[in-house]
Amino acid sequence: EIERHNRLYYVESVPEISDPEYDRLLAQLVRLEQEFPQYARADSPTQVVGSDAQEAFPAVEHRVPMLSMDNTYSPDELKAFDQRVRKQLGEAAPYVVELKIDGVSVSLTYEKGTLVRGATRGDGVKGDEITRNLLTLKSVPNKLSSAEAQAPAIIEVRGEVYMPLKAFARFNDTREAADEARFANPRNAAAGSLKLLDSKEVAQRPLQWFAHGAGALEPQTHELHSDLLKYLKKLGLPVNPHTSTCKTIEQVIEVCDQWRQKRTQLDYEIDGMVVKVDPRQAQERLGRTSKSPRWMIAYKFPAEQATTRVREIRIQVGRTGVLTPVAELEPVFLAGSTVSRASLHNADEIKRKDVQIGDWVRVEKAGEIIPQVVSVLKEKRDGSQKKFRVPKKCPACGSDVVREEGEVAVRCPSVTCPAQIKEHILHFGMRQAMDIEGLGNASVDQLIDQELISDVGDLYALRVEDLASLDRMGRKSAENLVRAIDRSRDQGLERLLLGLGIRHVGAHVARVLARHFGSMEALSEAGSESIEAVEGVGPIVAASVRRFFEDPKARRLLADLKKQGLNTKAVSRRMGEQPLAGKIFVITGTLSAVTRAEAEERIRNLGGAASSSVSKKTDALIAGENAGSKLDKAKSLGVQILTEQEFLKLIGEGS
C-alpha cells in the first residue's frame, strides 16, 4: 500500500492521501518490522527513499546521496529530536530553520562554475537527468559568476522547484481555456512540468526555484550551514530570505509557530519547516540512516479538519478501469472552500477506517487541496448506518470486475467501458502517444455526448463538418484537429501501444515491445512466455499484454484501427542515421564545446547509450578536462579513451 502511494506521489503526481496519513502508514510499518524483524526487507519503504525516477529520462548518479527527511507533527516531537541530537553530540547545537517549500527536489551540478547536469532526486542515489528542462528556469544560471565569491571546483546545489500561487492560478485558467485538464495543486503542476520531454514546453510553465543546500562541495570551506546559504546567494543562486538561526529548540518551535500562522502571506505553498543542525562538523558526527540524515528534520504543519456526515458512497471508474469509492458528504467549509465529496481510495481503505454510509467523519485536505476522510466518529452511530459493499460488476458497463493478486484496486477489464472512454481517448491523443494536438477535455466531452465517437477508432472517421458544429470549435480549429488526427496515423507501433493504455505498458515497455516484435500482428500472436522473455518485461507486464490481446473488444478495436490506415509496424531509422547504435559511452571531466548533458543527448539520438559508470560493457570513455577516477578505471579495463574533439569528429561535428 505504501509503495502504491509512493508511486502516486513521486511518479504520477496525483497523491490520494495526506502527508499525515502517509506517515501514519509508515509508522505502522515501522512497528510491524520491529515486532516481526524476520519479515523486514532491505527494500522496505522504511529503508529507502521514495523515487520519482522515470523511464523516459536517462539516470544519473548523485555524487552525494540525496536523501529524504524524517517528519514531525508536534512541538513535543521537535523536542524529542533535540534530545537525540544532544545525546549523540554530548552538547547542544544551534539550528537553522527554513521554510519547507512544497515543490520538487532537484540537484544541479556545477564544475568550475559551469552547469554540467541537472537531476531529480530519484531514489536518492540516482535521479533523472533533466538539465535542459531546468535551464528553462530564468533563475538557473548556466555559469556561476560573482564578484563576491569564487565558484568551487565542484558543487551539487540542492534546491526545490515550485510554482507560485498566482502564476499557478493563471496557468490553470490557460489550460482550461485550451481544453486541457487543470492541475490539482502547484506541487503537482511543478512535478508534471519537469517530466515533460519537450524543454520548449517546460519553458512555457511559470516555474521558479530556491537553493537550500549542497551535496558534494569541493573544496569544502564552510563550517556552518547558515554560511553555506550566504555563499550560494553570493554565487548568484536564489536562496529563500525567510531563514532563521536559533540557539535553542524553544526558539525553533517559536519560529515554526509564527510561520504556521502567517504562511498564507506567501505567494507559494509551504507545508512546514525544515530544522537543520547548523555546524557542519556536528552534522558529520550525527551521520545518517539509509533513508535520512540524523541532523535535520521536517516539522509538518497540521492540516485543517472539519466534521461532516457521509450521505452516500458511490463508485467512479477511471481510465485504467479502477473502481474508486467516493464519499458524498454533507457540504462543509474547509481550508478555503466548500467540500462535498472525498475519495475513499479503495475497499481496503474503507474497511480499515470502518467507514459506513450515514457515519459522521473527520475530513481534511491533503496538501491543502484533496479532501480526505481521516477518521470515523463511531460514538455518534445510532444504528442507521449501512456498510458499503464493493460491486461485483462495473456500474458503468456491467462487466465482471477483477482484482489482481497483490493489488488493492478493483478494476473493470473492458476497454470499451463508457466510463473509461473519455480518459482512454485523452490518453490516446496525448503528446507522448499519438500526439493529436487540439484533442482536449471539452472537445472529447462533446464528441462523446453527441455520440460522434465511442472509442479511439471513431476519431479517424471524423469530418470537419462534424467538428465545426461543436461549441468553441469553429471551422479553422476543426480543420486543424482533423489534420492532427490524420497525421497520427503514421506514428507507428511504439506510440500506438502507449496510446492504447494497456495496463502496465508505459513508454519504456512500449518501446522495447515495438523494437522486439516489430508489428502489432507479431505481438498479438506472441504467448506470455515470449513476451516475458523480452528484456525489461516481467511476468506481470507479459500477463497484462496477453490479457489485452485476448479481449474480443480489444481485437475488434485493433482491426478497426488497421482498417482506418494506422501504421501498426515499428518505425525504424536507417542504420546510417545511428552510427553509435548498441554502443555504451561514459563521460568524465569538463567538456568545453558542449555540456555533458548535450553530449549525452547526441549519443542517445545517434543510437548509443550514455552511462554514469565505467564497466567492462563500456565501449568508450569521453575524457574532458580534469578527468578523475573513471579515467583510471577505463584504462585498467582497456576501454577506449576519446578526447572531446575525437568524440565530436566521431559524430560528424568536429574537424
Side-chain angles (χ1 to χ4, degrees):
E1 186 175 359
I2 290 170
E3 285 174 347
R4 174 175 172 272
H5 287 305
N6 277 343
R7 179 165 185 82
L8 287 171
Y9 182 86
Y10 290 107
V11 178
E12 299 181 21
S13 301
V14 286
E16 284 185 350
I17 61 175
S18 65
D19 285 351
E21 282 187 288
Y22 175 85
D23 289 331
R24 282 194 287 271
L25 286 176
L26 203 61
Q28 183 183 355
L29 181 57
V30 169
R31 289 193 297 271
L32 285 168
E33 289 177 343
Q34 290 171 344
E35 188 175 353
F36 305 102
Q38 67 270 32
Y39 299 123
R41 293 167 22 186
D43 63 346
S44 165
T46 65
Q47 304 299 312
V48 298
V49 176
S51 176
D52 60 6
Q54 299 280 284
E55 294 169 338
F57 295 96
V60 292
E61 190 170 345
H62 302 301
R63 283 183 166 89
V64 173
M66 200 171 174
L67 304 178
S68 60
M69 289 183 288
D70 282 338
N71 296 326
T72 62
Y73 288 90
S74 70
D76 286 341
E77 290 176 338
L78 278 177
K79 290 177 181 177
F81 165 72
D82 180 59
Q83 289 172 359
R84 293 194 297 271
V85 169
R86 286 170 176 265
K87 182 178 179 180
Q88 192 164 343
L89 294 178
E91 59 182 351
Y95 294 106
V96 176
V97 186
E98 305 169 17
L99 303 185
K100 187 177 182 299
I101 313 295
D102 194 11
V104 183
S105 296
V106 296
S107 180
L108 294 93
T109 301
Y110 289 85
E111 295 180 1
K112 291 187 175 181
T114 300
L115 180 66
V116 296
R117 183 184 299 112
T120 63
R121 183 174 68 180
D123 62 4
V125 177
K126 289 183 178 180
D128 290 336
E129 192 267 300
I130 55 167
T131 313
R132 284 188 174 276
N133 287 355
L134 287 173
L135 278 171
T136 65
L137 278 65
K138 294 178 181 178
S139 52
V140 172
N142 193 23
K143 290 184 178 292
L144 300 177
S145 178
S146 171
E148 300 180 71
Q150 182 177 356
I154 294 173
I155 183 171
E156 283 181 315
V157 181
R158 301 285 161 80
E160 199 82 4
V161 174
Y162 66 95
M163 192 175 286
L165 291 170
K166 292 178 182 176
F168 170 70
R170 291 193 298 269
F171 173 61
N172 251 350
D173 289 343
T174 302
R175 285 181 65 83
E176 188 171 43
D179 292 340
E180 296 177 325
R182 296 175 70 92
F183 279 102
N185 55 52
R187 193 259 167 206
N188 289 4
S193 299
L194 290 180
K195 292 169 186 173
L196 293 171
L197 299 180
D198 186 353
S199 59
K200 293 179 182 177
E201 193 172 344
V202 182
Q204 304 302 314
R205 306 288 175 94
L207 299 174
Q208 297 185 26
W209 79 296
F210 282 123
H212 56 59
L217 176 56
E218 301 173 12
Q220 181 69 259
T221 57
H222 301 89
E223 295 303 321
L224 297 174
H225 177 72
S226 51
D227 287 341
L228 172 63
L229 294 178
K230 295 173 186 174
Y231 175 61
L232 295 177
K233 188 175 181 180
K234 289 179 180 178
L235 288 174
L237 298 165
V239 176
N240 193 284
H242 304 299
T243 300
S244 304
T245 53
C246 302
K247 293 182 179 179
T248 66
I249 197 66
E250 287 74 23
Q251 291 177 352
V252 169
I253 293 170
E254 184 179 350
V255 170
C256 291
D257 189 56
Q258 289 172 356
W259 276 110
R260 182 179 64 82
Q261 298 178 52
K262 63 180 183 180
R263 57 177 164 157
T264 54
Q265 300 173 17
L266 299 167
D267 188 35
Y268 46 86
E269 288 193 336
I270 64 172
D271 57 353
M273 308 294 289
V274 179
V275 181
K276 301 177 181 178
V277 171
D278 199 9
R280 181 168 58 86
Q281 190 177 37
Q283 294 176 3
E284 293 173 352
R285 287 169 59 191
L286 289 165
R288 63 180 179 89
T289 66
S290 61
K291 187 177 181 181
S292 57
R294 293 192 179 95
W295 49 269
M296 65 189 297
I297 201 160
Y299 172 70
K300 292 289 196 75
F301 295 138
E304 184 180 336
Q305 294 187 349
T307 301
T308 186
R309 195 169 191 171
V310 178
R311 288 176 169 176
E312 187 57 81
I313 297 177
R314 303 190 187 279
I315 290 292
Q316 282 186 341
V317 184
R319 177 186 67 81
T320 60
V322 173
L323 273 62
T324 302
V326 176
E328 301 281 351
L329 307 171
E330 290 184 357
V332 61
F333 192 77
L334 176 63
S337 65
T338 299
V339 172
S340 58
R341 308 174 83 218
S343 173
L344 293 168
H345 311 308
N346 53 63
D348 286 3
E349 185 76 356
I350 293 176
K351 185 177 179 180
R352 183 177 72 82
K353 291 179 178 176
D354 191 18
V355 181
Q356 298 182 20
I357 299 167
D359 268 334
W360 286 91
V361 293
R362 286 193 184 91
V363 292
E364 70 180 28
K365 285 188 177 180
E368 304 301 317
I369 296 293
I370 307 168
Q372 309 284 342
V373 172
V374 179
S375 60
V376 176
L377 304 178
K378 296 181 181 179
E379 66 275 11
K380 286 196 170 191
R381 284 181 174 169
D382 57 11
S384 65
Q385 287 73 25
K386 293 185 293 183
K387 288 195 173 184
F388 171 77
R389 300 193 183 281
V390 180
K392 294 183 178 180
K393 292 186 178 292
C394 173
C397 70
S399 298
D400 292 337
V401 299
V402 297
R403 180 171 178 172
E404 295 181 9
E405 186 178 350
E407 290 196 354
V408 297
V410 175
R411 300 177 184 277
C412 169
S414 174
V415 295
T416 57
C417 172
Q420 301 176 52
I421 287 174
K422 176 190 172 184
E423 296 301 326
H424 266 301
I425 293 170
L426 290 171
H427 177 82
F428 185 83
M430 70 179 183
R431 183 182 296 273
Q432 298 95 322
M434 302 303 282
D435 193 16
I436 304 176
E437 188 174 351
L439 193 67
N441 282 281
S443 56
V444 172
D445 278 341
Q446 292 185 76
L447 288 169
I448 292 173
D449 291 344
Q450 296 188 26
E451 299 183 353
L452 291 171
I453 60 173
S454 60
D455 60 31
V456 296
D458 292 338
L459 290 170
Y460 295 93
L462 289 172
R463 301 170 302 166
V464 172
E465 291 72 21
D466 297 326
L467 297 169
S469 62
L470 300 180
D471 291 343
R472 295 194 299 171
M473 178 62 77
R475 187 167 187 87
K476 183 65 175 177
S477 297
E479 290 173 350
N480 290 338
L481 180 53
V482 168
R483 275 196 294 270
I485 293 171
D486 189 53
R487 283 196 301 269
S488 73
R489 297 176 199 267
D490 298 321
Q491 293 289 10
L493 180 59
E494 177 184 325
R495 284 174 171 253
L496 180 56
L497 283 174
L498 178 61
L500 288 171
I502 303 170
R503 175 84 172 132
H504 299 304
V505 176
H508 174 71
V509 172
R511 187 180 309 118
V512 298
L513 289 175
R515 289 177 179 175
H516 183 86
F517 290 99
S519 70
M520 188 72 78
E521 291 76 12
L523 176 58
S524 66
E525 293 170 4
S528 295
E529 291 183 1
S530 298
I531 299 171
E532 188 179 338
V534 179
E535 186 175 354
V537 177
I540 293 175
V541 175
S544 177
V545 173
R546 190 63 254 148
R547 190 160 50 245
F548 173 82
F549 284 110
E550 289 172 353
D551 186 335
K553 295 175 182 176
R555 290 202 297 271
R556 284 197 294 272
L557 174 62
L558 291 174
D560 183 32
L561 291 174
K562 188 172 183 180
K563 184 179 178 181
Q564 295 284 2
L566 269 73
N567 181 11
T568 59
K569 297 185 182 298
V571 177
S572 60
R573 299 174 65 180
R574 297 189 304 274
M575 288 307 295
E577 295 176 341
Q578 293 191 313
L580 306 184
K583 296 185 180 295
I584 300 173
F585 292 79
V586 175
I587 302 173
T588 186
T590 304
L591 304 181
S592 56
V594 293
T595 67
R596 182 176 298 190
E598 289 170 341
E600 290 176 347
E601 184 177 0
R602 282 164 168 77
I603 291 168
R604 288 189 292 272
N605 288 341
L606 294 172
S611 176
S612 60
S613 57
V614 178
S615 70
K616 291 180 180 179
K617 294 182 179 180
T618 305
D619 290 287
L621 176 82
I622 302 165
E625 294 182 17
N626 302 311
S629 58
K630 291 179 183 178
L631 178 59
D632 296 331
K633 186 173 182 180
K635 289 178 178 177
S636 68
L637 294 174
V639 172
Q640 181 184 10
I641 311 295
L642 297 175
T643 65
E644 181 179 1
Q645 288 305 313
E646 288 171 334
F647 165 68
L648 293 174
K649 185 176 181 181
L650 176 66
I651 64 175
E653 295 186 17
S655 54

